[in-house]
C-alpha cells in the first residue's frame, strides 16, 4: 500500500478476496475452511496484499453459498469455529494484513431464529413485523402481493402455511425463498445489525463489506416496478440513514475501521451518495469491472469513476473479478469482453491465451490507478472460468434463471496449490473426499507451486506489481494525469516519475520517453509496446 502519510489504509490498499469454501481445505472434507486459510497465509503475505476480505463464513443452510445467514455471530462448522476465526484475524495482523468480514443485512436464512419464530407464531406474531409478511391479492389471497422480479430472476414472494394448516400470508425475498428480507423500518432490525458490527469490530476486524447495500429499504406501499416511477426497493433514500448510523459506530473504534459497500448503481451520482463523508468509506466499482477491453470505454469508465468520487472525497476502487462474475481471463478472451448478468450464457467461444495476455495487462492497469484495488482469489494465478457440469452446480441462479444463466459456480472452483492432478493440494495429502467442485486437469500449470520462481508467471507479475506499488510514492491513493498517446492507447502518470501505458490497439506503439522500465505485462519489442500489453515506466519529471 502506498498512500500519503497518515492516510487511512483503505484509501490505497490492495485487498484480496477469500471465498472460504474454495480457498484451501484444512481437514480433508473437500470444502475450504479457516484451518486451510491459516495454512496459506504465507501465500498472501508473499503476494504483498494489505487486507483480506472473507466472504460469509457464518452458520448457514447454504441455500445461497452462505449468503443465507442463520447466525451472524458465529462460524459455520464446515468452516471451523469462532476461536479459529479470532486466531486467523490475529495471525493475519501479525503479518501486517488487515481483515474484512462480509455482513449480509438485506436478508437472512429462513432458519434464522427470528424467521422461525415468525412462522411458528402465525398471523399477528410480532416477529413477522421484522420481515415483509403481507396478505395475497385476490379473493382467496392466492395471488402474490406484487409482481416484482427477484435479483436472481424469478418470483419474490412465497406463501406460508398457518399453524393450523391453512394457507397463510406471503413473505418477501428478493433472492431465494430461503432468504427472507428484513424490514429495515423496524428498530429491532437496525439495533441488531448495529450490535453485529460491534461484535466483529470487538474481535479485531478492520472492515465490514456490506452485501447488496442498496436494497435494504423498501417502499411499504408495494408499488409495481414501472419505468416512469421510482424503483420500489433499489436505492431508496432511506437506506442512507442506516449507513450514517453504521459510520458512527465505525468511527468509535481505533485504527480506521472501514465500511465497504456492494453497490450496483449505474447512476454515478446516486452511487457517490453512499460515499458521503458520514456514510460508507468505499464501494465496489462495478462500472470498471463490466467495462469492455477497449481504450475509449476504459478511459470513460476511469474518468467517470474519479469524477463521481471527487466531490465526496472518497477513494475509487478497481475490481476485475469477484465471486459473482465471470473471471476476467475468460471475459477478455471473448468477442464481447463486457460483463453483465443478463448476458451470461454457456458455450461462448473463449480464446484463453488472448484472455490471459489481456488479463496481465489489466492487472497492471488496475494496480496503477488511484485508490484501492481488489484481487479475487486465483486471479493472481491466472485462473479462468470453469464450465462446471450441470450435475455439480449449486448456485441458485441456475434454476431461478430457468436454466439459462449457468450460475456463478464457474468462478468458485477450489484453488490449485500444488501437484500435477486434482485436488492440486487444495485438500491435505491423504484426503479421500474430492473438492466440492471439480477442478480442470489443465490447471496443473496454474498451481501456486508451478508458478513460484517462474519470472514469467502471472503470480510473479502480481508479486512484482504489488511490491512496486508499495515502493512508489505516487501509487495507491492520489492524483493521476493522462498523457498524450496514440488512439487506443491508455497512458497516465502517477506522481512526478511514474507512468503506466496500456496498448489496446492492434499494432505495436512507441513507448513515451522514460528512464527505466519498471515492469511489463509481456515481452516488449525494443522501444515498441505490443498489442494488449501494459508497462510501468520511471519517467523522470513528467
Amino acid at each position: 500500500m502506498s498512500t500519503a502519510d497518515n492516510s487511512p489504509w483503505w484509501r490505497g490498499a490492495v485487498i484480496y478476496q477469500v471465498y472460504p469454501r474454495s480457498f484451501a481445505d484444512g481437514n480433508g472434507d473437500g470444502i475450504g475452511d479457516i484451518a486451510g486459510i491459516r495454512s496459506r497465509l504465507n501465500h498472501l503475505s508473499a503476494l504483498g496484499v494489505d487486507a483480506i476480505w472473507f466472504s460469509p463464513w457464518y452458520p448457514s443452510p447454504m441455500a445461497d453459498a452462505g449468503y443465507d445467514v442463520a447466525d451472524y455471530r458465529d462460524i459455520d462448522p464446515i468452516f471451523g469455529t469462532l476461536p479459529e476465526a479470532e486466531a486467523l484475524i490475529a495471525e493475519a495482523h501479525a503479518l501486517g494484513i488487515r481483515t474484512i468480514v462480509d455482513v449480509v443485512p438485506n436478508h437472512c436464512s429462513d432458519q434464522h431464529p427470528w424467521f422461525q419464530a415468525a412462522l411458528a407464531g402465525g398471523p399477528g406474531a410480532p416477529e413477522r413485523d421484522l420481515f415483509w409478511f403481507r396478505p395475497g391479492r385476490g379473493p382467496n389471497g392466492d395471488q402474490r402481493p406484487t409482481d416484482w422480479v427477484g435479483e436472481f430472476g424469478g418470483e419474490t414472494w412465497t406463501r406460508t402455511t398457518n399453524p393450523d394448516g391453512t394457507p397463510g400470508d406471503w413473505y418477501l425475498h428478493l433472492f431465494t425463498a430461503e432468504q427472507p428480507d428484513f424490514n429495515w423500518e423496524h428498530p429491532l432490525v437496525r439495533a441488531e445489525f448495529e450490535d453485529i458490527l460491534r461484535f466483529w469490530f470487538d474481535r479485531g476486524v478492520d472492515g465490514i463489506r456490506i452485501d447488496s447495500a442498496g436494497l435494504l429499504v423498501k417502499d411499504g406501499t408495494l408499488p409495481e416496478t414501472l419505468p416512469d416511477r421510482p424503483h420500489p426497493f433499489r436505492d431508496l433514500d432511506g437506506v442512507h440513514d442506516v449507513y450514517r448510523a453504521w459510520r458512527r459506530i465505525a468511527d468509535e473504534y481505533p485504527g480506521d475501521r472501514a465500511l465497504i459497500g456492494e453497490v450496483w448503481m449505474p447512476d454515478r451520482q446516486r452511487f457517490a451518495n453512499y460515499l458521503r463523508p458520514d456514510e460508507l468509506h468505499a464501494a465496489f466499482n462495478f462500472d470498471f469491472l463490466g467495462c469492455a477491453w477497449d481504450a475509449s470505454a476504459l478511459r470513460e469508465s476511469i474518468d467517470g469513476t474519479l469524477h463521481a468520487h471527487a466531490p465526496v472525497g472518497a477513494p475509487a476502487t478497481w475490481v476485475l473479478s469477484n465471486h459473482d462474475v465471470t473471471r476476467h481471463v475468460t471475459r477478455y478472451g471473448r468477442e464481447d469482453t463486457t460483463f453483465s448478468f443478463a448476458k451470461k450464457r454457456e458455450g461462448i467461444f473463449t480464446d484463453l491465451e488472448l484472455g490471459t495476455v489481456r488479463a496481465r495487462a489489466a492487472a497492471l492497469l488496475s494496480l496503477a490507478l488511484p485508490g484501492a484495488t481488489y484481487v479475487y482469489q486465483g486471479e493472481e494465478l491466472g485462473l479462468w472460468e470453469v464450465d462446471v457440469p450441470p450435475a455439480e452446480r449449486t448456485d441458485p441462479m441456475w434454476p431461478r434463471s430457468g436454466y439459462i444463466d449457468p450460475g456463478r459456480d464457474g468462478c468458485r472452483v477450489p484453488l490449485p496449490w500444488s501437484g500435477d492432478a486434482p485436488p492440486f493440494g487444495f485438500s491435505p495429502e491423504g484426503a479421500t473426499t474430492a473438492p466440492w467442485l471439480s477442478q480442470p486437469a489443465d490447471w496443473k500449470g496454474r498451481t501456486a507451486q508451478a508458478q513460484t520462481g517462474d519470472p514469467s508467471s502471472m503470480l510473479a507479475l502480481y508479486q512484482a506489481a504489488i511490491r512496486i506499488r508499495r515502493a512508489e510514492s505516487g501509487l495507491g491513493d492520489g492524483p493521476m494525469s493522462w498523457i498524450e498517446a496514440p488512439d487506443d492507447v491508455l497512458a497516465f502518470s502517477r506522481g512526478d516519475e511514474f507512468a503506466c501505458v496500456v496498448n489496446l490497439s492492434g499494432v505495436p506503439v512507441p513507448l513515451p520517453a522514460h528512464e527505466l522500465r519498471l515492469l511489463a505485462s509481456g515481452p516488449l519489442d525494443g522501444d515498441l509496446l505490443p498489442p494488449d500489453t501494459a508497462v510501468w515506466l520511471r519517467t523522470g519529471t513528467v
Side-chain angles (χ1 to χ4, degrees), residues 444-526:
K444 67 179 181 179
R446 289 287 189 270
T447 68
Q449 181 185 61
Q451 296 191 49
T452 298
D454 177 1
S456 66
S457 69
M458 186 75 82
L459 179 58
L461 179 73
Y462 269 85
Q463 289 172 333
I466 294 173
R467 182 175 63 251
I468 293 170
R469 178 186 167 99
R470 281 179 176 272
E472 290 292 315
S473 60
L475 292 180
D477 192 28
M480 67 165 277
S481 300
W482 292 107
I483 299 171
E484 185 176 352
D487 291 343
D488 297 323
V489 175
L490 298 177
F492 56 91
S493 63
R494 301 295 316 281
D496 294 332
E497 298 184 338
F498 178 93
C500 175
V501 185
V502 189
N503 182 9
L504 293 98
S505 75
V507 298
V509 297
L511 294 175
H514 60 279
E515 296 178 354
L516 180 67
R517 299 172 193 174
L518 297 172
L519 186 63
S521 65
L524 303 187
D525 182 9

Side-chain angles (χ1 to χ4, degrees), residues 376-400:
Y376 177 49
Q377 65 176 43
E379 184 177 321
E380 80 280 14
L381 302 178
L383 301 186
W384 56 81
E385 189 82 358
V386 177
D387 291 327
V388 174
E392 288 192 31
R393 293 176 188 170
T394 65
D395 185 11
M397 270 193 173
W398 166 236
R400 283 180 68 86

Side-chain angles (χ1 to χ4, degrees), residues 121-446:
E127 291 86 358
R128 292 201 169 194
D129 293 337
L130 303 171
F131 301 93
W132 288 91
F133 281 84
R134 292 292 185 274
R137 295 178 294 181
N140 300 316
D142 57 358
Q143 299 174 34
R144 296 185 301 276
T146 72
D147 293 325
W148 293 354
V149 176
E151 295 298 285
F152 290 171
E155 299 174 358
T156 57
W157 295 90
T158 291
R159 196 171 194 183
T160 63
T161 300
N162 291 324
D164 64 2
T166 60
D169 288 339
W170 299 70
Y171 68 88
L172 175 68
H173 50 87
L174 295 184
F175 294 86
T176 70
E178 296 85 359
Q179 295 167 282
D181 279 39
F182 285 113
N183 173 17
W184 273 86
E185 298 303 320
H186 201 295
L188 284 182
V189 173
R190 298 193 179 217
E192 171 72 355
F193 276 91
E194 290 173 12
D195 188 73
I196 289 166
L197 260 62
R198 290 190 173 95
F199 179 89
W200 288 105
F201 283 146
D202 287 344
R203 274 148 190 80
V205 304
D206 302 279
I208 303 289
R209 182 264 187 184
I210 305 159
D211 181 72
S212 300
L215 300 180
L216 276 56
V217 175
K218 281 78 174 175
D219 184 337
T221 66
L222 302 184
E224 293 297 343
T225 304
L226 297 172
D228 59 344
R229 296 183 186 176
H231 199 280
F233 57 80
R234 291 179 184 160
D235 187 38
L236 299 190
D237 288 341
V239 76
H240 297 287
D241 292 334
V242 174
Y243 298 131
R244 291 188 186 99
W246 287 21
R247 179 61 176 262
R248 289 192 290 271
I249 292 170
D251 288 348
E252 293 172 5
Y253 286 82
D256 295 318
R257 310 298 174 100
L259 302 173
I260 303 159
E262 181 196 28
V263 183
W264 290 88
M265 200 67 58
D267 184 317
R268 287 172 176 155
Q269 180 55 57
R270 300 289 299 183
F271 173 87
N273 287 343
Y274 290 79
L275 303 175
R276 288 175 289 203
D278 61 345
E279 295 190 43
L280 305 182
H281 297 83
F284 291 99
N285 181 2
F286 293 109
D287 183 82
F288 182 77
L289 180 152
C291 191
W293 186 248
D294 173 84
S296 60
L298 283 166
R299 179 162 180 163
E300 195 280 331
S301 178
I302 293 165
D303 281 341
T305 296
L306 296 177
H307 179 75
H309 285 71
V312 290
T317 64
W318 310 101
V319 188
L320 296 173
S321 288
N322 67 25
H323 65 292
D324 283 336
V325 308
T326 305
R327 284 189 178 272
H328 62 277
V329 164
T330 295
R331 297 199 316 268
Y332 289 155
R334 294 175 171 174
E335 182 177 359
D336 182 354
T337 54
T338 63
F339 173 80
S340 73
F341 287 108
K343 295 187 298 183
K344 284 180 65 184
R345 297 293 184 271
E346 295 183 79
I348 301 173
F349 172 75
T350 302
D351 183 339
L352 288 178
E353 183 177 354
L354 176 62
T356 300
V357 170
R358 289 173 170 174
R360 292 175 64 90
L364 295 196
L365 170 62
S366 63
L367 286 163
L369 289 169
T373 303
Y374 286 76
V375 176
Y376 177 49
Q377 65 176 43
E379 184 177 321
E380 80 280 14
L381 302 178
L383 301 186
W384 56 81
E385 189 82 358
V386 177
D387 291 327
V388 174
E392 288 192 31
R393 293 176 188 170
T394 65
D395 185 11
M397 270 193 173
W398 166 236
R400 283 180 68 86
S401 69
Y403 303 99
I404 295 172
D405 182 337
R408 299 163 293 178
D409 293 310
C411 65
R412 300 174 176 180
V413 173
L415 296 190
W417 290 100
S418 60
D420 295 325
F424 294 122
F426 172 72
S427 297
E429 190 170 349
T432 57
T433 303
W436 70 281
L437 288 174
S438 299
Q439 301 155 304
D442 289 349
W443 273 5
K444 67 179 181 179
R446 289 287 189 270

